[in-house]
Amino acid sequence: MIVSTCVKPVKSIFNSTVITNYYIRNGKVVERVEAVNKLALAFRGATNSVLRRYTTDFIIINAIYVTFNTDISEDYLCLIGEHCINFYSIKDDMFCGLPLPFKIKAAHKSKFGLLLERKMPNAFNSHTESTTLFSIAHPYCEVLPVICKFKNDDENCHYAWSNRKISIVSVTDCTSGDLFLCYDHTRKENCIYFLRKCTKNEKAYARTDLANHAFCFDTPRSIASLGYSPAFMVRSRLIDKNDSVNSPAMVSDHRITPVRRTIRTRSMLAAAAALEEHLPYPQSPAISLKSHRSTTDKRSFRDSPMLRFRNTSFGSTPRRVQFESLLGDIGEENSLELSADLCMECLLTEVGIDTESNETRLATHFIVSSDFHGQNFAYFQIPSENMVKILRVNSLNDGFSVFGAPTNVRARSIARVLNTHYVLLLEERENTIAIYTGPYLLGHICLTNPQEPSTSFANQEISGIFTAYSNSFIVQYNTGVQLLHEINQGFCTSIVEKLLRSILESLSKDKGLQFFATWFRGNHWRVVELADSDAGKVELTLLLEHFFTCFGVDTTEMFFLNHVRYLRKLCNRELEPTECKRSRSIEENVDGQFWKYLIEEEQSKTSSFSDYVKSKRQVKISSTNREDWLQTHVFSVFAAFHSFYESLKLDRRDSHLMEFVVEPLFVFSKLFGLEQYAQFYQSDFPLLENYELVINEELKERLSSIVVTNTRHFHTERVPSMNDFINQLMINTGSQLPYLPQSPHYPTRIIICFAIALNKISSASNLYKLFGKNWQKRLNIEDDKKFLSIISNEKYSPLRRAKLCMDFFKITNHDLCYLNDAMNTVFTDVKQEALNKQANTALIASLRIFPTTAEQKKWQFLRWSTDIRVDNIAQMLDSSRPVLIPIKKLPNLTDTQLREQQEQFLVTTALKTITRPFGQALLTFRTEKPGPHDNLAVPNICLHGKTNPNNIQIDYPQADTNKQMIEWANFYHGMSRALSLVERDAAVLDWEWLSMSLKAQKSPGSAAGCLFAYGLTGHIKEVNVYNIHELLTKGDRFLTISLLMGCAIAQRGTSDIQVYKMLATHLPFLLGPTLLEFRIEPIVQTAALVSVGYLFCETAHASLTHQLINEMARETFFDADSSAERYSYVLATGFAIGLINLGLGSEITANEIPLQGGHFAIQERLCIILRGGPRSRCRMVQDEGGSCTFTDSAHSATRGRNSNEPAASGTAAAAAAATASPASCHVRERTDVNTHLTGHAACVALGLMFLKTNDKWIIRALTIPNTFVDIEKIRPDLLMVRTMCRLLVEYDQIGKTTEWVESQIPEIVRKYAILLSQNDENCWWDNYIDMNTVAQAFLYTTAGCILAMGLKYGSTWDEKVKSTMMNFYEKLLPERPTLNPYQKLCSMAGKNAVSTCMNACISAMALLMAGSGDIQMIQIFRKVRNHKPRYSPLAKDNALHSTHVIANMALGMLVMGNARYSLSQSNVSIASLVVAFYPIYPHSITDNRLYFQPLRFLWPLAVESRFFSTVDAKTGENISVEVEVNLTDENVVVPVMKTPCILPHLDKISAIHLKNADYGPVSLVMSNRIDTRKLHEVVKNFYGRMPIHRATKRLEYDLRYENPTFVASDKQNQETISEHSYDISLSDLENLELDNDQEEEVDLMEVDENLIENVQKS
């Protein structure tokens, strides 16, 4: 008999019949619900502690817990009424009510949600063809019909239950799905159905069936009439756990929708999909929604075509839709069809049933359970026959199948014991409860009550048994009393559970169940319960005893039963009646037996096996009276015990059990003559040599009849040993793997990680050799591809692969801490490797953080520890503080006069203050990374002053003439402030943040300047096209300029069509004929021209190039003939042409196809515009036929013709008409090109177009002639531009010395310039040579050479180039006229020429020393900035503004980005610098006539980061080490620097060597691809911070496996002497930049993204 224990009587708080259900999770009862009438209570587990209280407006017919599996798993308590269902979320108590369009009689939970049985009127007498079964996949989904397939009707599908009178009796869940017991009232047979997803074909069959019959669905059309789609209840959160929630069944206002969720109904999906192509309006092209998954696939609630139909965002909740109005527009051909998701397929029907009998064979209970071998069995009870039928059900991938004939058992009731393999049957006659597993009887249950042991239940009639919860069942007697009983599973500890399962797997099915049944009926749990902490040891001992008993061996005298003997005596005493216990206690106290028990207990616990063996006692082994039924199967059980014994060697926590197991195993090997096993056990316990075994002769004779045979798990020749396997695995150096014993006791996942760490497993073939063909099943691996990608990845070291496998198997450190010493040593290395990687992760996270202001200050201090040059420059460029006004009060000076002097002082200083943003933008470039809640507040530029000592503020005089100046000043000030933000690659600022920052500005000019800066940094890409159009419609010219240039620069080189349309709208020559009359400001057109150049940068767009050249050669440019801006407009066309064809001139020339007629190539037309010539040869037009002609042919056609003759027709006339343009009312333009207007534009276009091409023809065209006659024909300042552009063409030939500069000057100019500098007063050639021409030609040509040198050698800090520039700068100094031999030359050239050349020289020196912070350059630029003119008043000096702009830009460029940035040498960088530092210098901040001043801010396109610093890898502190840089050009020597520093151009570096006494040398060799990628990673993603480790010896790169690490090495002993073993690896640097094919490895990488996020936040 199997003893059960009565726990307690079952009592409910309700007096009437209640509905009870349980919420079970992981085999444990979490909640229990009891419902009656309109009240439901949720209890904690099996207790009576109330968790929640629910009140409904309907009678509850069922209360069940349902798990809805959609995108995520959600648990709900469902209170079900006839007309409504209330859903309560278990997680957050959210409530949702679902009104039903029909009455229901029952609801059943399933794997796919809820199944509803519709209540039909008159018990199937009407509506025989109505659909009666519906499903709900989620509380927010629609009620859908269910399809059914009947037995032997595979080809047809129907809506359940078509033409059948079937009802669901019971439902049960299984691992592969849900099985339903149904009853066919017509055929009087019980059927088993299983529920699954239906296929497309099955849906089609059902629709055909729908068309042939008039079925009544009541959904969705009738539901639409009720306003149901579906209608949702207002969800309320329970404030108090025990307060009731009044939730009405229906809400009057059906328009209420859930607050946080969206509706997804099948009817919505179908209607929206059908209507989508009939929409009257298109979707927005700018805001395109993401693609959606198919409606037949697994969908989320947001993934609905209805959202696309309504053109709403994903975050909104759709309103209720009346589908009748929608369907009315489609027609019958697109009518809405019902979509079913689930199908009920018949699995089994009873056969041989008498259908004419009046007896009802309705089954009542239905249970599916599995036996110990994993086979599923279905049980259903037929009360009318007192019969239980048992069927074997096989689980398949797509459903179930029935195996064999059913087994019939006479029983009156049936119940399942949850969380076990047992099913209880109340037998018909004997009034006893039998316990089954599958169809096999394990035994009968003896019902006991610990409180009343003498009470007998044999005389009380049992009326039924019921399922309770884990390991429990309820027994109900005829008296109405219900008692809850608990039953043991057959094992109490996990050790014995695993051991029993391994024994059952090793035996045949019958023998295994017999072994377990005899063990189960022994009720060993009583003894185990008394063992307390030794429960595992005691139960293991009892199982060993049971094993020997099964083949008839008595083990009474063996040591391992000592402790069990005492516990059995104690157990027998506990089972005695109360009166016997009382009398026995008195007797023991009298004769001292009580103390004997205490002594016996202490001896049983303290005695050891070693002491027992040392006593050399004889152990007698004899036979028992029990039958030996195991026979040869005994060796399979022995093999299972041996495997368990070997597994104890791996875990130190269980090693104490070995001495209890080794004795019976040793005795078994002796009994059957297994000497190899006996010697094996003696090697583990040498004391076994003293173990003397005396075997009974009868037993010897009986055991000799059992033949020792090898089985699948037992081998006589080879003793499986885990220690031998580990030792061979560690010692063996070859690829041959040792033999691994197969046993479920071994931690195979830990063993495989151990083998991977030893580099013994690296492919699937190794796994096949070690674990066999089904290695995936043994390791329980679902994603084998991912696992194989880890172990076969040669990029990682074996320790790294082992750690990744541990993460894959979810092996924790707790699982490894009790391993034996051999395995613990290896896993210690694995854990240390993981700690190193974790340290690297934290270090990488800190390096990826943008440097703070304090860290940038620290870098400045390390570079220049003896001065504060950066702070001085910042103070000089600060435009946000008021100016200090000096007080110099003269006698007889009134207050009014004093105030006028102060205001005049402010007017004078304001001319300087408004130029400071030009330099401040360079100083603060990319120095801030804003947070998501930070605002970019740009204060207006401060032009006010204050007086000492009272700090009285003097306001800047507000006049209408100053308004435009202040607007431009705020524009540049806002641009300067916004350029301090990081680029888009470092932080993406969305449109919400950008718009918030724009609204925070105090002036429109500042907001427009910020927008321009966002374009330079790329953030404007986040602005939507519609928002850009909205800003453009405001008509503000500052906003328009910023948007046009910002968008084009952000999309440079992409030819984006949207941006091009926006630019073409602001350029009349690209817009084409239009009926609209609007005037575009010339300054906006100028900005649009440069924007076109950047948008099509390096694309060689031929059509745009020809159109721009036509614009350059036009007579007039603007409708209102604003001649003041036409110079900057033409110059902008030159910039655009040069940018479009940047560096592609030679390629264009080689690939150009000649046109018919007189053809002029692009370069030829530009040369005509440069030198002068007929305008007709520069402009090309296209006739109606599409052929291109030049206007010269049109002029030649009309030349010499009488004016009275009729006009010519055809192509020539059309071309002549095309060139007609209105005459200028200010300037009379001739037929030749005005070179004073177009010279600069054509020159810069040729220079950029043929950049670095070394084209000889262009070089000759740009070379300055060597005769004064030709030189005087050229505009003087154009000489500088022509020299600069010529040198850009022959870029590689630019020299460094003064001699090279002099060689570039025309010989005749150089000759007379030398004579002029000698200060001879009486020169014979004064009357023949123009001294001004000589002086201007010399200075401008030299300045052009200096500017070209600055462009080529930008940020190189070359001393030779610096000396050459300083030499020219000293010639231009106005001081010391007696010592300066070139003073006369400068005076002859004129003030404007000297000022222009000085600005060009300053620009070149700033480009050369960019990022250097050179103190000499700072002094020079400050001197130029503070220079006062001698003759003209300061306020009227035309060169003051441009001088201060260039000087401030030069100061900022020396410490660009807080001395962290330098200049690039790419073509776009050089072109941007040419545009930004173009040598035309306006007179004021509002002067854009000759040069468009916002172009001065294009230098960010030429900036690159080459900052390099070193930090301590452990502390993260900045340290200074020596840096030796070797270049690819061995002739160039870079001086030794100290970190932090600016590296030379990275593509010119061959090696970098770091030297420091404390940190040791580190080398990066650029010929190594890994080193190159590492350097670029440090410079780009780590913001120049390179971690190094402390070491005392030379450090080299270790390129083993995947990563270059810093390790210390000595060539003699190769000792690792690094203080820390963890290092930065390339794999760590690449973790966030994996390719698409490596996405599977992202989850297994060592870089902890959560750690990175936490570090960045801190």
Side-chain angles (χ1 to χ4, degrees), residues 511-766:
K511 292 294 182 181
L513 289 174
Q514 185 177 0
F515 181 88
F516 180 78
T518 53
W519 160 260
F520 195 16
R521 290 193 292 266
N523 296 308
H524 302 287
W525 57 272
R526 293 186 168 188
V527 180
V528 176
E529 281 185 350
L530 299 175
D532 296 331
S533 60
D534 294 334
K537 180 175 65 176
V538 171
E539 191 171 21
L540 177 62
T541 302
L542 293 172
L543 185 61
L544 285 167
E545 181 189 24
H546 174 69
F547 166 56
F548 279 88
T549 305
C550 288
F551 63 91
V553 176
D554 185 10
T555 58
T556 306
E557 296 189 6
M558 295 178 65
F559 166 78
F560 74 97
L561 291 175
N562 280 352
H563 190 47
V564 174
R565 295 189 191 99
Y566 163 74
L567 293 177
R568 278 180 172 153
K569 293 180 181 179
L570 187 60
C571 181
N572 294 331
R573 290 163 53 88
E574 294 292 335
L575 294 177
E576 291 179 353
T578 305
E579 295 298 330
C580 295
K581 287 183 180 180
R582 186 178 297 110
S583 60
R584 182 179 293 276
S585 176
I586 296 174
E587 294 176 359
E588 289 178 351
N589 290 332
V590 173
D591 58 7
Q593 291 293 329
F594 177 73
W595 297 105
K596 292 181 180 180
Y597 277 110
L598 292 180
I599 295 173
E600 184 178 352
E601 177 187 8
E602 187 66 22
Q603 288 179 351
S604 65
K605 290 184 177 181
T606 57
S607 60
S608 64
F609 180 65
S610 300
D611 298 335
Y612 179 82
V613 176
K614 288 179 180 179
S615 61
K616 297 183 180 180
R617 296 176 53 185
Q618 291 183 350
V619 179
K620 297 181 180 180
I621 304 298
S622 59
S623 298
T624 61
N625 296 328
R626 297 185 180 181
E627 179 185 359
D628 179 12
W629 55 269
L630 271 179
Q631 296 296 323
T632 57
H633 297 282
V634 70
F635 299 105
S636 297
V637 181
F638 170 73
F641 278 107
H642 177 78
S643 298
F644 172 75
Y645 169 77
E646 286 297 304
S647 67
L648 297 176
K649 299 178 181 179
L650 299 179
D651 196 336
R652 290 179 293 179
R653 292 173 296 182
D654 300 329
S655 58
H656 66 283
L657 299 176
M658 292 180 63
E659 64 179 11
F660 292 93
V661 180
V662 69
E663 181 189 14
L665 296 182
F666 176 76
V667 170
F668 182 90
S669 60
K670 286 292 187 180
L671 290 176
F672 289 94
L674 304 176
E675 293 299 328
Q676 290 187 358
Y677 281 88
Q679 294 176 5
F680 177 79
Y681 298 133
Q682 288 183 8
S683 62
D684 291 340
F685 290 88
L687 293 176
L688 287 175
E689 296 179 356
N690 301 328
Y691 198 90
E692 186 176 354
L693 195 63
V694 179
I695 305 175
N696 191 306
E697 294 297 332
E698 180 184 355
L699 180 61
K700 283 184 179 181
E701 183 179 356
R702 186 166 56 83
L703 294 179
S704 61
S705 62
I706 301 177
V707 181
V708 179
T709 57
N710 293 330
T711 63
R712 184 166 60 95
H713 302 281
F714 175 74
H715 302 277
T716 57
E717 299 83 4
R718 180 175 55 189
V719 180
S721 174
M722 181 53 61
N723 283 341
D724 293 344
F725 170 77
I726 294 176
N727 293 334
Q728 293 178 17
L729 200 63
M730 298 181 67
I731 297 174
N732 187 11
T733 58
S735 59
Q736 185 67 27
L737 293 172
Y739 168 73
L740 175 63
Q742 295 187 6
S743 173
H745 303 291
Y746 298 149
T748 52
R749 292 188 169 188
I750 294 179
I751 292 174
I752 194 172
C753 293
F754 175 75
I756 292 172
L758 296 175
N759 202 20
K760 302 298 182 181
I761 296 179
S762 59
S763 63
S765 59
N766 300 134

Side-chain angles (χ1 to χ4, degrees), residues 170-436:
S170 180
V171 60
T172 185
D173 58 339
C174 189
T175 56
S176 300
D178 298 306
L179 293 176
F180 291 81
L181 178 64
C182 304
Y183 184 71
D184 192 330
H185 295 265
T186 303
R187 301 183 180 184
K188 297 182 180 180
E189 61 183 12
N190 294 287
C191 314
I192 297 179
Y193 285 79
F194 73 90
L195 187 66
R196 58 171 174 81
K197 288 282 187 179
C198 59
T199 63
K200 293 182 179 180
N201 294 333
E202 291 170 347
K203 292 182 181 180
Y205 285 129
R207 284 196 293 268
T208 303
D209 190 57
L210 173 64
N212 297 330
H213 299 84
F215 291 101
C216 179
F217 288 97
D218 283 345
T219 182
R221 288 186 179 271
S222 61
I223 297 175
S225 64
L226 296 174
Y228 172 82
S229 59
F232 289 93
M233 318 312 324
V234 180
R235 293 181 291 175
S236 304
R237 181 178 294 275
L238 300 180
I239 300 176
D240 190 0
K241 293 184 178 180
N242 292 329
D243 290 343
S244 63
V245 178
N246 295 324
S247 53
M250 293 290 292
V251 179
S252 59
D253 188 2
H254 298 296
R255 292 174 296 177
I256 298 178
T257 57
V259 179
R260 297 189 307 172
R261 301 177 189 260
T262 56
I263 302 173
R264 184 193 68 168
T265 64
R266 270 77 171 172
S267 58
M268 278 186 176
L269 297 177
L275 289 175
E276 189 172 9
E277 61 183 21
H278 299 278
L279 294 180
Y281 49 85
Q283 289 189 352
S284 170
I287 310 176
S288 60
L289 299 180
K290 298 181 179 179
S291 60
H292 297 268
R293 289 172 287 179
S294 172
T295 57
T296 60
D297 195 4
K298 187 177 181 181
R299 299 167 297 228
S300 65
F301 298 122
R302 296 172 180 263
D303 193 11
S304 172
M306 192 61 202
L307 300 180
R308 298 200 301 272
F309 168 71
R310 296 181 63 249
N311 198 18
T312 58
S313 62
F314 292 123
S316 62
T317 57
R319 296 189 180 95
R320 181 178 63 87
V321 179
Q322 294 288 349
F323 285 97
E324 291 179 341
S325 60
L326 297 178
L327 297 175
D329 298 333
I330 301 177
E332 293 299 329
E333 66 276 10
N334 291 324
S335 61
L336 180 63
E337 294 180 351
L338 287 175
S339 175
D341 271 357
L342 304 179
C343 177
M344 294 276 287
E345 183 173 353
C346 185
L347 185 64
L348 174 70
T349 58
E350 291 183 292
V351 294
I353 304 301
D354 186 8
T355 57
E356 297 181 358
S357 174
N358 294 327
E359 183 181 0
T360 301
R361 301 187 67 261
L362 177 66
T364 55
H365 294 85
F366 183 51
I367 294 173
V368 174
S369 179
S370 61
D371 63 1
F372 288 102
H373 294 84
Q375 296 176 348
N376 295 323
F377 290 88
Y379 307 74
F380 61 94
Q381 177 194 2
I382 304 176
S384 61
E385 300 177 358
N386 284 338
M387 184 72 67
V388 173
K389 295 194 174 185
I390 305 175
L391 288 168
R392 180 180 171 184
V393 181
N394 293 334
S395 298
L396 304 176
N397 293 331
D398 56 350
F400 299 88
S401 65
V402 178
F403 180 80
T407 301
N408 298 327
V409 179
R410 307 291 295 183
R412 294 185 287 116
S413 183
I414 185 173
R416 179 184 174 187
V417 183
L418 297 180
N419 204 25
T420 65
H421 299 282
Y422 311 138
V423 176
L424 306 180
L425 275 69
L426 179 60
E427 295 184 343
E428 181 182 10
R429 299 176 181 178
E430 299 178 359
N431 197 33
T432 57
I433 300 175
I435 182 168
Y436 280 78

